[in-house]
Amino acid sequence: MKLASLKHPDATRGNATQGRDGRLVVVSNDLAWYADASHIAPTLQAALDDWDRLSIDLKNLSTDLEHEMIPMRRFHEHDAESPLPRAYQWADGSAYVNHVALVRQARAAEMPDSFWHDPLMYQGGSDGFLGPRDPIPLADEAWGCDMEGEVVVVTGDVPLGASRDEALAAILLVGLTNDVSLRNLIPGELGKGFGFFQSKPASAFSPVFVTPDALGDWWKDGKLHRKLMVDLNGQPLGRAEAGEDMTFDFGTLVAHAAKTRKLGAGTIVGSGTVSNRGPDGGPGKSVAEGGVGYSCLAEVRTIETIQGGKPVTPFLKKGDTVRIWAEDDKRHPIFGVIEQTVE
Amino acid sequence: MKLASLKHPDATRGNATQGRDGRLVVVSNDLAWYADASHIAPTLQAALDDWDRLSIDLKNLSTDLEHEMIPMRRFHEHDAESPLPRAYQWADGSAYVNHVALVRQARAAEMPDSFWHDPLMYQGGSDGFLGPRDPIPLADEAWGCDMEGEVVVVTGDVPLGASRDEALAAILLVGLTNDVSLRNLIPGELGKGFGFFQSKPASAFSPVFVTPDALGDWWKDGKLHRKLMVDLNGQPLGRAEAGEDMTFDFGTLVAHAAKTRKLGAGTIVGSGTVSNRGPDGGPGKSVAEGGVGYSCLAEVRTIETIQGGKPVTPFLKKGDTVRIWAEDDKRHPIFGVIEQTVE
């Protein structure tokens, strides 16, 4: 089953609550059609709040849509909000430890060995996300705006102290994100010791979130086994395999988040920037050089720094366009496409 | 106007979405009575989402309640959830820099001078809060469970890059929190560089949130000018003046949060642990010694460490009870009372 939230027409005409959360629709597997689902649950959050009961009706609707048995309309990704236009929790891990090690290496910061055993995770802002085709608002290019291509999952309720298996069972949806980061604000902010705040503005999510069962073999061992496609200004930047080099699977990440408190339904947990090592174990090559490339500019700049002493590739500037997606075997996007231009 | 969210009877009978967010009521100024407000907005979040329109109706209801012109029922704080039982954002500052300086001094960590000019703030978990009379679930006493008595504000929508004045104008409600902290997990977690996550389990908020206009002179210059009362097991622990030694007022804190992204309606911003210096500028005395005491145990232990080489007061144990409130001139609680026992 694939779910999306359409931009709500009431958003500009007074019914502010519903407008803020979009309108829930079920989307066909090929992303060509949708059926309204608001008679089952007005919003995706409402569906997640009562998933055991409502997901049955949603799955029936999804089946009817695939069989073209119900009224359906063309699905346009431009009309979609992020599936959760705002959420009660956005917890982002750093599961591709390779990425962390590289970034630290470039700024000559030591990475403790514990990072290979104990997941790194930060509490992200979740009060408002960008739509998948919305521009990235950037007030100051000097902040060093970067994309981060990641895989995300959405959970139901997760009990306090959940095991990895309990956490895996609580994963209801899978999607992608562009976790926008302001790189030049990070060192100062992390130096203060309280983690990210100003350096992590609103993220955008893929137009469609997908249930794990609909992913078949692509969802295995708590990982998405597809390439994460990242383009910058029409050129391939990243083709990293999301199922490889992920040190902590999503079950481990969700269990980490639930160690000292239960998690509420609709919690989004991120993988951190998808990153593969090179075949020799070192930093991978760019796509132009025949490698799988990178899912963020910080990693490009890191490798430039390691190899040439300083970064060459600039951070995002006004007018730059980022595309993030994953494909099925016929090269159709699975989750739709995140496509954002910096403004 | 005073607002609360009653525990929703549907929480245990299937209507999961409404049950999770409680039922909005308007509470009388003396906290003795309430009037149902769910015909205006089912939940406090719904009211905040459309505040310009709905707050007019809520204020009329509040006036009618004070004049006993409408059906009203006894208000029992035990029946209340936190006013926002879950929220889209919980951003906690450290505005009483005195507290930060003391805690750092005790663990021999240097505090940069910039902390006096640039607010410290972390992104807290907001997917589920404890009710004001709910127990504090603690799986392991070795985690070092502590209370933190704080003042909080709830904002409407705040534009990206809001000035302090714009931020002040966006403050719609004022309340209190017990920001539960797991002290022994903090050093390891902050050492990883990504801020708090496991070390900050669910917080609890005062039964009632109050509009700034209803606070009169107690709300001035973006600060609450009342004593924050903190008791531990029936003994006074803290009587600090929330309006004093607050280096960053709430306008400055909210503007800090909005520097790189707009804030969604219903964002809760915290002051950090309320803390006063002693009359000589150094650490203050305990209430038993005639001082204003402390709003968390970490500060008690810090002062014990500075004075005697090691902390003596233990962190919270099972069965310990914490009370946090603020009083009007007749010693009636303004926001109701947070009273929680560790389980």
Side-chain angles (χ1 to χ4, degrees), chain A residues 138-277:
Chain A
L138 178 62
D140 188 346
E141 285 186 359
W143 290 343
C145 186
D146 197 0
M147 80 284 261
E148 292 194 358
E150 308 188 9
V151 181
V152 300
V153 298
V154 179
T155 74
D157 291 305
V158 182
L160 189 159
S163 67
R164 173 176 171 268
D165 284 347
E166 288 173 310
L168 276 176
I171 293 172
L172 305 181
L173 297 168
V174 180
L176 307 177
T177 188
N178 177 16
D179 180 45
V180 180
S181 297
L182 301 174
R183 297 290 183 191
N184 293 340
L185 301 186
I186 290 180
E189 202 153 61
L190 295 198
K192 288 158 71 179
F194 272 25
F196 306 99
F197 199 100
Q198 294 177 337
S199 49
K200 290 282 184 180
S203 299
F205 294 84
S206 52
V208 166
F209 282 176
V210 182
T211 50
D213 64 288
L215 292 169
D217 286 347
W218 304 335
W219 179 254
K220 208 168 48 189
D221 304 325
K223 301 177 185 180
L224 178 71
H225 293 270
R226 297 307 288 172
K227 278 194 173 62
L228 187 75
M229 320 287 284
V230 181
D231 278 8
L232 174 59
N233 297 328
Q235 298 300 312
L237 183 76
R239 297 291 183 263
E241 175 51 64
E244 287 175 18
D245 297 325
M246 189 183 186
T247 306
F248 307 106
D249 72 288
F250 276 108
T252 304
L253 292 177
V254 172
H256 178 86
K259 185 185 170 190
T260 62
R261 54 181 164 102
K262 61 183 179 178
L263 309 180
T267 289
I268 311 174
V269 175
S271 68
T273 306
V274 174
S275 175
N276 291 164
R277 301 157 192 254

Side-chain angles (χ1 to χ4, degrees), chain A residues 17 86 88, chain B residues 1-6 18 20-26 37-38 40-51 54-55 58 81-88 153-155 172-174 205-211 265-268:
Chain A
T17 295
R86 55 181 176 173
Y88 293 106
Chain B
M1 176 166 61
K2 300 192 173 187
L3 298 173
S5 296
L6 296 189
Q18 294 219 9
R20 290 171 187 262
D21 295 302
R23 179 166 60 94
L24 182 63
V25 298
V26 170
S38 57
I40 298 171
T43 65
L44 179 54
Q45 181 64 51
L48 291 161
D49 282 342
D50 204 0
W51 186 256
L54 300 179
S55 62
L58 291 171
E81 301 267 14
S82 283
L84 289 167
R86 55 182 176 174
Y88 293 106
V153 298
V154 180
T155 74
L172 305 181
L173 297 168
V174 180
F205 294 84
S206 52
V208 166
F209 282 176
V210 182
T211 50
T267 288
I268 311 175

Side-chain angles (χ1 to χ4, degrees), chain A residues 56-141:
Chain A
I56 297 166
D57 296 335
L58 291 171
K59 287 198 177 176
N60 288 337
L61 188 67
S62 169
T63 305
D64 290 350
L65 176 64
E66 291 302 331
H67 295 164
E68 302 184 11
M69 287 168 63
I70 46 168
M72 55 196 215
R73 307 183 75 164
R74 293 295 295 187
F75 179 66
H76 299 293
E77 296 186 19
H78 280 92
D79 297 336
E81 301 267 12
S82 283
L84 289 167
R86 55 181 176 173
Y88 293 106
Q89 180 155 238
W90 162 225
D92 197 11
S94 260
Y96 299 85
V97 179
N98 181 49
H99 164 80
V100 182
L102 276 176
V103 172
R104 296 238 169 181
Q105 188 182 341
R107 57 176 154 105
E110 204 179 332
M111 191 183 84
D113 189 57
S114 67
F115 279 28
W116 293 101
H117 320 296
D118 182 30
L120 207 56
M121 182 174 282
Y122 71 89
Q123 193 83 52
S126 57
D127 57 313
F129 298 125
L130 305 174
R133 304 296 176 102
D134 287 353
I136 299 170
L138 178 62
D140 188 346
E141 285 186 359

Side-chain angles (χ1 to χ4, degrees), chain B residues 141-161:
Chain B
E141 285 186 0
W143 289 343
C145 186
D146 197 0
M147 81 283 260
E148 291 194 357
E150 308 188 9
V151 181
V152 299
V153 298
V154 180
T155 74
D157 290 306
V158 182
L160 189 159

